[in-house]
Amino acid sequence: MSIKVMIVDDSAVVRQVLSGLLNAAPGITVMHAVANPLLAMERMKVQWPDVIVLDVEMPKMDGITFLRKLMTEHPTPVVICSTLTEKGAQTSVEALTAGAVAIITKPRLDLKQFLHDSADELVSAVRAAAGAHVGKLANRPAPPPVTVKLNADAILPPENVRPMTATTERVVAIGTSTGGTQALEEVLTALPRVAPGIVVVQHMPEKFTAAFAARLDSVCEVRVKEAANNDRVLQGQVLIAPGGKHMLLRRTGAQYFVEVVDGPLVNRHRPSVDVLFRSAARAAGANALGVIMTGMGDDGAAGLLEMLKAGARTVAQDEASCVVYGMPKEAVKKGAVERSVPLNAIYREILQQLQY
């Protein structure tokens, strides 16, 4: 069955380009492309879409108001298509918090070329959204990706190391993607200030992670910040990998810190969960907990297995509580997961790190 898509964007150019790209993808049909949410609501009285591709800054009704109305009255998977600016990042993070599944960024200049260059990302986001557990929508698994992908070897070559002896310094490494913004908020807001040091890779574009970290910091007892190179991993602090950079865990003596580096896409992502998890296996071994949460694809599965073999505890979010049960599923299939738990139980797994 074809995925029916509605595009809501006040730019005629964006509507034209997005419609062409999505209609060219197998199994996707653009049923409507309209200029604002009021027109969208009129069209949806006749036929409801499977996925909505939504701008956030529009006349008559902004995308955030429309999104909240949707999620209250008729939950529907939404992909945000937003301009890549600091202001746009804050608004788009607000949209993710309100229930959007993913973000596709668009620049102010060379829009047509950019969108054509991002066609694979757009199509993947729409397919992931169609398979997301949002309200009453049926789950449609996303098709396997077809582009070539690199693994963590591209950033951190494998080496044979013995698991480290446990010490009092503990660290938690979390990896997540589609649906992760809301899931992370639920986990982190449940943690007290004495929580162990946490490092997070959330698949998110450049510029958006700073706004995301700032928002989490405003609602959590723990401190949350976008990671900078050589930041210490401290109790009561969460470091979010910056969009467009890889983040690695390092150790000097009894102290952990993060290294933020450039590099190629790994598993089609930068930052990559596999890169973080491999570095955690090497730097922390048995002193670490690896947590893999909701997300599309398999990024993090191989790295979590490396953590387990290095003596770390490993936990996955269970299928029932995931927006997209992709990354945890792949980790389970690899034998990398000791325990699968509901989203609302993950914070307890993290606090157990303090008892070892």
Side-chain angles (χ1 to χ4, degrees), residues 27-93:
I28 297 177
T29 301
V30 176
M31 49 181 278
H32 297 297
V34 298
N36 61 66
L38 298 182
L39 290 172
M41 288 188 286
E42 286 298 314
R43 300 290 177 87
M44 287 190 293
K45 290 177 181 178
V46 178
Q47 185 180 27
W48 206 274
D50 297 318
V51 177
I52 297 173
V53 178
L54 179 67
D55 191 13
V56 290
E57 297 175 346
M58 291 177 289
K60 298 188 178 180
M61 179 186 288
D62 66 90
I64 303 296
T65 301
F66 178 51
L67 177 63
R68 287 176 175 154
K69 182 178 176 65
L70 275 176
M71 293 305 165
T72 300
E73 299 177 4
H74 192 145
T76 305
V78 171
V79 174
I80 295 297
C81 193
S82 175
T83 303
L84 187 60
T85 64
E86 298 295 344
K87 179 182 176 182
Q90 294 172 1
T91 306
S92 296
V93 167

Side-chain angles (χ1 to χ4, degrees), residues 175-224:
T176 186
S177 185
T178 312
T181 50
Q182 292 174 301
L184 278 171
E185 181 171 338
E186 181 168 337
V187 171
L188 298 183
T189 53
L191 294 174
R193 293 180 185 175
V194 296
I198 299 173
V199 287
V200 176
V201 164
Q202 159 73 59
H203 293 158
M204 190 174 278
E206 185 180 357
K207 294 186 181 290
F208 287 82
T209 42
F212 178 52
R215 192 201 178 283
L216 287 175
D217 188 60
S218 71
V219 297
C220 294
E221 287 192 33
V222 291
R223 183 188 181 209
V224 184

Side-chain angles (χ1 to χ4, degrees), residues 236-250:
Q237 178 172 272
V238 180
L239 298 176
I240 308 286
K245 303 281 187 179
H246 290 297
M247 183 172 73
L248 296 81
L249 184 70
R250 300 295 195 190

Side-chain angles (χ1 to χ4, degrees), residues 31 104 252 311:
M31 49 181 278
I104 298 295
T252 300

Side-chain angles (χ1 to χ4, degrees), residues 17 25 27 72 93 131 159 194 239 250 322 324 327-328 354:
V17 174
T72 300
V93 167
E159 64 180 29
V194 296
L239 298 176
R250 300 295 195 190
C322 281
V324 177
M327 288 162 50
L354 299 174

Side-chain angles (χ1 to χ4, degrees), residues 164-171 251 253-256 283-288 353-356:
M164 295 179 59
T165 303
T167 70
T168 56
E169 285 291 322
R170 300 308 175 97
V171 64
R251 180 171 179 169
Q255 297 179 349
Y256 295 107
N287 302 327
Q353 279 297 90
L354 299 174
Q355 300 171 14
Y356 280 72

Side-chain angles (χ1 to χ4, degrees), residues 336-354:
V337 176
E338 292 181 308
R339 286 166 52 78
S340 290
V341 301
L343 177 62
N344 61 12
I346 288 177
Y347 82 96
R348 289 196 291 268
E349 300 291 330
I350 292 173
L351 292 179
Q352 283 184 20
Q353 279 297 90
L354 299 174

